[in-house]
Amino acid sequence: MAKFEVLLAGATGYIGGTIVSTLSQSENGLIKNSNFTLLIRGADKARVFNDKGFQTVLFDSLEDTKNVENIASKYDSLSRNGNTLTSGTSNLGDQPITKAYEETRTFVDTTPDLYSYLQQRNALTPYAQRTADIAVISTGLALNVKTYIIMPPTIYGTGTGDFNRITIQAPAIIRSALRTGQVMQLGDDKAVAEHVHVEDLAELYIAVANKVIKDGMQGFPSGERGIYFAGTGRHTWGEFTRGIVQALRELNAIKTDEIKKVGLTEAAEMWTGGNELYCELNFGASWRTQADASRKLGWQPQKTEEDFEKHFLDTARLVMESQK
């Protein structure tokens, strides 16, 4: 039987690097008997992966679509992580700061109307990530190409890749606290978001890859119904912020326990380069999901709420170390 050929992009990133690390340690027979080639920018980075036994293909940019299409045409599956794309549940978030959208439902990834919901939300408020997801799904449908979108919530924990090992939200808040001497929070304590450890998320990609290689995801939907959630726990943004305060106080990095509440414009300037919509959806929104389809794939996340609580200290140390 010929080996299954898989092309992965994003191997130097936080999620992609952890996926590659997890792949290299997998004892799964189907995974071990497949060829994973990594799409890499830069010969120096490619050599790091070559030394670990991975094949690599150099490219300049994903914007060079003709070159990427030519490369991808040689593989059975493209993972970015296609036919599999990483997205995020901020697509589903409410907008409690601007009051532009209210959402209270819990979304289940076996629900058939998620794609139409994304379209409706994007018609009201275009959001780059949602726009990309809709384009991927609609293009896949038009070309008869199966697509799968993995939609994780807030990702936490130290990545296990060789390059970027740090996430987004907590480090951004930590950096601003180190600059100002005080932790800041957008909105109130009521917004409820979800989280997943990056290693658990990587295992979901392994579960998808295993099923794709085994039988082409037989019995699991693709396209407009091929959206898979990855939440394993919930937190309020108040709990999230207090976790950062506790970590920075333990490291003697700040001198006050007091949290400063800030408005959207100020928060966006500090954390998201001025992008207020991205800031509201990723640092102050509520989203609630249920990963039924992901678990039916055999995904079994291992991290606990204790791991979530501990990650603030680990992340604070990493951020402070990177600033030395």
Side-chain angles (χ1 to χ4, degrees):
M1 177 178 168
K3 287 192 173 185
F4 200 86
E5 300 288 340
V6 183
L7 179 66
L8 297 97
T12 60
Y14 172 59
I15 302 171
T18 304
I19 293 170
V20 170
S21 173
T22 305
L23 282 169
S24 68
Q25 299 172 41
S26 177
E27 293 300 319
N28 181 295
L30 290 173
I31 297 295
K32 292 177 72 172
N33 195 46
S34 299
N35 286 329
F36 291 86
T37 300
L38 312 180
L39 196 59
I40 302 292
R41 293 188 188 94
D44 290 344
K45 291 179 179 178
R47 278 192 289 273
V48 171
F49 294 109
N50 294 151
D51 290 344
K52 295 189 175 190
F54 284 97
Q55 298 175 22
T56 57
V57 176
L58 293 174
F59 80 116
D60 293 323
S61 170
L62 289 174
E63 301 302 318
D64 184 4
T65 54
K66 287 188 177 180
N67 185 39
V68 173
E69 286 174 4
N70 180 56
I71 294 170
S73 66
K74 303 171 185 177
Y75 296 86
D76 298 303
S77 181
L78 167 67
S79 178
R80 184 189 152 88
N81 278 320
N83 313 341
T84 307
L85 173 76
T86 302
S87 181
T89 51
S90 58
N91 282 346
L92 312 173
D94 63 2
Q95 294 179 251
I97 312 301
T98 59
K99 311 297 183 186
Y101 197 88
E102 180 180 347
E103 183 58 80
T104 59
R105 82 175 86 175
T106 296
F107 293 88
V108 183
D109 55 8
T110 54
T111 302
D113 67 342
L114 289 173
Y115 177 55
S116 61
Y117 177 85
L118 294 179
Q119 292 176 307
Q120 291 164 12
R121 283 293 303 271
N122 223 47
L124 293 172
T125 306
Y127 176 46
Q129 181 176 263
R130 263 197 312 256
T131 302
D133 292 354
I134 292 167
V136 166
I137 294 170
S138 61
T139 302
L141 292 172
L143 299 177
N144 197 29
V145 173
K146 291 182 179 180
T147 59
Y148 308 96
I149 292 180
I150 294 180
M151 204 173 278
T154 300
I155 307 168
Y156 74 93
T158 304
T160 59
D162 290 287
F163 297 96
N164 181 17
R165 301 179 67 204
I166 202 164
T167 185
I168 298 173
Q169 283 101 327
I173 298 172
I174 290 167
R175 291 187 191 102
S176 67
L178 293 175
R179 289 195 303 268
T180 64
Q182 187 174 14
V183 175
M184 302 185 189
Q185 179 182 328
L186 175 64
D188 56 31
D189 290 1
K190 297 178 181 178
V192 177
E194 294 177 317
H195 50 258
V196 62
H197 194 284
V198 67
E199 291 182 37
D200 280 338
L201 179 59
E203 290 292 347
L204 177 54
Y205 282 91
I206 303 303
V208 171
N210 178 68
K211 186 65 174 170
V212 169
I213 296 166
K214 183 179 180 180
D215 59 16
M217 287 286 278
Q218 185 175 341
F220 287 85
S222 62
E224 67 268 52
R225 296 192 62 182
I227 296 171
Y228 296 81
F229 295 144
T232 61
R234 291 181 178 176
H235 62 269
T236 67
W237 288 110
E239 291 167 342
F240 194 86
T241 306
R242 288 190 290 274
I244 292 173
V245 170
Q246 183 177 345
L248 291 178
R249 289 284 280 161
E250 185 170 335
L251 296 171
N252 296 314
I254 58 174
K255 297 180 179 179
T256 178
D257 293 330
E258 185 179 350
I259 296 170
K260 180 182 178 182
K261 301 293 180 67
V262 295
L264 183 56
T265 298
E266 184 177 358
E269 288 174 353
M270 289 188 298
W271 302 332
T272 62
N275 187 326
E276 294 188 7
L277 177 60
Y278 183 86
C279 186
E280 183 174 24
L281 291 175
N282 287 276
F283 289 83
S286 291
W287 57 77
R288 302 169 183 84
T289 64
Q290 198 166 303
D292 289 359
S294 294
R295 290 180 183 272
K296 286 179 180 178
L297 278 167
W299 180 51
Q300 297 179 325
Q302 300 298 308
K303 301 298 182 179
T304 66
E305 287 306 291
E306 184 177 356
D307 292 305
F308 176 70
E309 292 165 5
K310 287 180 178 178
H311 100 276
F312 293 109
L313 187 59
D314 294 336
T315 302
R317 286 195 177 109
L318 278 174
V319 172
M320 292 174 67
E321 186 65 30
S322 71
Q323 294 187 349
K324 290 182 179 179

